[in-house]
Amino acid sequence: MKRVALLGATGSIGRQAIEIVEAHPDLELCAASSGSSPLDGIAAEHTQVGGDLTELLDRSRPDVVLNAVVGFAGIHATLWALENGVDLALANKESLVAAGELALEAQRRGGGRILPVDSEHSALFQCLEGRTAEQVDSLVLTGSGGPFRGRVRDELTAVTPEDALAHPTWRMGPKITIDSATLANKGLELIEAHFLFDVPYDRIEVVLQPTSIVHSLVRFRDGAMLAHLGYPDMRVPISYALTYPERAATPLAPLDFTSLTLAFEAPDTETFPMLALARETGEKGGTYPCVFNAANEVAVAAFLEGRLAFLEIPEVVGDALARADGSPARDLDDLVEVDRAARAIPVA
Ligand SMILES: NC(=O)c1ccc[n+]([C@@H]2O[C@H](COP(=O)([O-])OP(=O)(O)OC[C@H]3O[C@@H](n4cnc5c(N)ncnc54)[C@H](OP(=O)(O)O)[C@@H]3O)[C@@H](O)[C@H]2O)c1
């Protein structure tokens, strides 16, 4: 029996994870949390609404922590799992982006294993299993391009949160859906991939695959490529992370090849500058990725509340990065302070 602590149980990933746990006799929910929503109807041994997630983890003694909290708020749980040698099924990419080096140090000390839940990283993880670093030429992250793919800047001046929330292929929480529309999500995933797989940025490519059937690819040095395919359904990577190294059955229909469209195109980084900004930020390192993430969270919240225009999101993030000095964080307290300072960026 594997004891699962599900953080962010009321969210999009959280609800799908409950479905997976309930369908699998070898998984049990030892803990469930939310930020403020009630946890009614969620049968877990320990529950917690708000508060310090590490206290919940201390008392529930999980075998695996599924971190499905949105944003920097998930950072303490990520570091707890890595430091305590507990498997971390990681959906909360923001924590690895913001804490990169600290997270890897915690992992070196504690031995916690990261099992990616982000579909692209789960795909890469599976394509890389059993390979050595020398065999790999580059990682290729795929993205749908979001609801505004193909538009030019002039067509984005007046887009509303409702327009941006209409994602073509995935049904997700609001923050990641806006990130998908700006391509910030692909930027966060680029930095996440760098830390997860220890691959330099110049060997991580991004390509758009609008139907989200190809979840990512790896190029090997002999010219061979491995790709991971499937319908866009987060229950697959959630299930893989929770049952790893086994593969449990899921209720998905088999992929119908006769209805597949597998076109690829390059991302438009001029219309959607967040991807290039994330690459630059990741390459600069230090606490720049933490600042990128914090300012993006602030800008996305302001856009969703109607206080900021869509095209102003990258401007806010660019301003925050220009104000930051990016020096590496010595510890979590340092990082929390960098995050706090970056959030003070004025938005309309
Ligand atoms: N959704 C997807 O398909 C998908 C795919 C790949 C990766 N991810 C990643 O998975 C994470 C979750 O995404 P989501 O779409 O599931 O988000 P979501 O639907 O907005 O759910 C977020 C969850 O986090 C909880 N939460 C929010 N603020 C919190 C805080 N300060 N402290 C503790 N818990 C808090 C929420 O509780 P309340 O209900 O109380 O607000 C909710 O349970 C994100 O990092 C996202 O990038 C999601």
Side-chain angles (χ1 to χ4, degrees):
M1 194 61 101
K2 222 188 238 186
R3 293 167 60 80
V4 180
L6 175 56
L7 309 179
T10 49
S12 160
I13 293 287
R15 287 190 307 270
Q16 295 176 83
I18 290 172
E19 201 187 308
I20 296 295
V21 171
E22 284 176 348
H24 200 292
D26 295 338
L27 297 176
E28 71 176 350
L29 216 51
C30 67
S33 78
S34 70
S36 58
S37 305
L39 291 163
D40 303 345
I42 299 179
E45 219 175 295
H46 302 268
T47 56
Q48 186 172 301
V49 177
D52 180 351
L53 291 173
T54 64
E55 285 175 9
L56 175 67
L57 295 173
D58 278 336
R59 63 174 189 276
S60 57
R61 295 170 293 102
D63 298 311
V64 55
V65 175
L66 171 43
N67 189 350
V69 171
V70 61
F72 189 81
I75 201 152
H76 300 91
T78 285
L79 294 176
W80 184 95
L82 297 174
E83 198 79 65
N84 284 281
V86 172
D87 278 357
L88 172 65
L90 184 67
N92 176 247
K93 64 192 90 187
E94 295 93 339
S95 56
L96 192 58
V97 168
E101 301 295 346
L102 289 182
L104 296 183
E105 281 167 26
Q107 185 179 37
R108 277 192 287 272
R109 282 192 301 268
R113 183 167 58 170
I114 308 181
L115 303 164
V117 169
D118 230 344
S119 60
E120 296 78 1
H121 303 75
S122 176
L124 291 170
F125 182 81
Q126 292 175 59
C127 292
L128 288 167
E129 272 181 305
R131 319 285 161 186
T132 61
E134 301 71 48
Q135 295 170 345
V136 175
D137 181 37
S138 65
L139 309 182
V140 186
L141 276 172
T142 54
S144 70
F148 304 140
R149 182 180 60 85
R151 295 205 197 178
V152 295
R153 274 184 76 80
D154 283 354
E155 295 170 311
L156 296 174
T157 44
V159 294
T160 64
E162 289 67 36
D163 300 329
L165 287 169
H167 196 278
T169 53
W170 296 97
R171 297 287 157 264
M172 311 178 285
K175 193 263 177 181
I176 183 176
T177 307
I178 302 304
D179 285 349
S180 300
T182 61
L183 293 198
N185 184 49
K186 219 39 64 184
L188 293 169
E189 289 179 5
L190 176 72
I191 300 173
E192 180 187 10
H194 166 77
F195 286 117
L196 274 177
F197 304 115
D198 192 23
V199 172
Y201 288 99
D202 61 0
R203 292 204 285 121
I204 310 177
E205 306 167 51
V206 174
V207 67
L208 300 187
Q209 198 281 299
T211 54
S212 301
I213 296 291
V214 182
H215 298 143
S216 278
L217 313 91
V218 176
R219 287 184 202 272
F220 291 93
R221 66 176 173 194
D222 58 2
M225 295 193 77
L226 290 187
H228 181 290
L229 276 70
Y231 286 123
D233 190 316
M234 289 305 295
R235 290 175 299 179
V236 178
I238 293 170
S239 175
Y240 190 64
L242 291 183
T243 62
Y244 180 84
E246 306 298 329
R247 250 179 219 281
T250 65
L252 259 76
L255 194 62
D256 174 9
F257 291 102
T258 60
S259 65
L260 282 188
T261 315
L262 291 186
F264 293 87
E265 61 187 68
D268 174 357
T269 49
E270 274 177 33
T271 307
F272 303 97
M274 290 296 273
L275 176 56
L277 198 53
R279 188 179 282 281
E280 202 182 296
T281 301
E283 278 166 353
K284 279 159 84 175
T287 46
Y288 283 114
C290 176
V291 172
F292 176 94
N293 176 68
N296 181 54
E297 286 189 33
V298 169
V300 169
F303 171 67
L304 283 169
E305 289 163 16
R307 292 184 286 115
L308 194 74
F310 184 78
L311 290 177
E312 289 172 328
I313 295 174
E315 291 173 19
V316 168
V317 176
D319 280 357
L321 288 165
R323 287 162 187 242
D325 77 1
S327 347
R330 282 160 303 183
D331 52 27
L332 182 57
D333 289 344
D334 252 12
L335 196 73
V336 167
E337 178 51 28
V338 170
D339 172 80
R340 193 202 55 75
R343 281 170 198 271
I345 184 85
V347 289

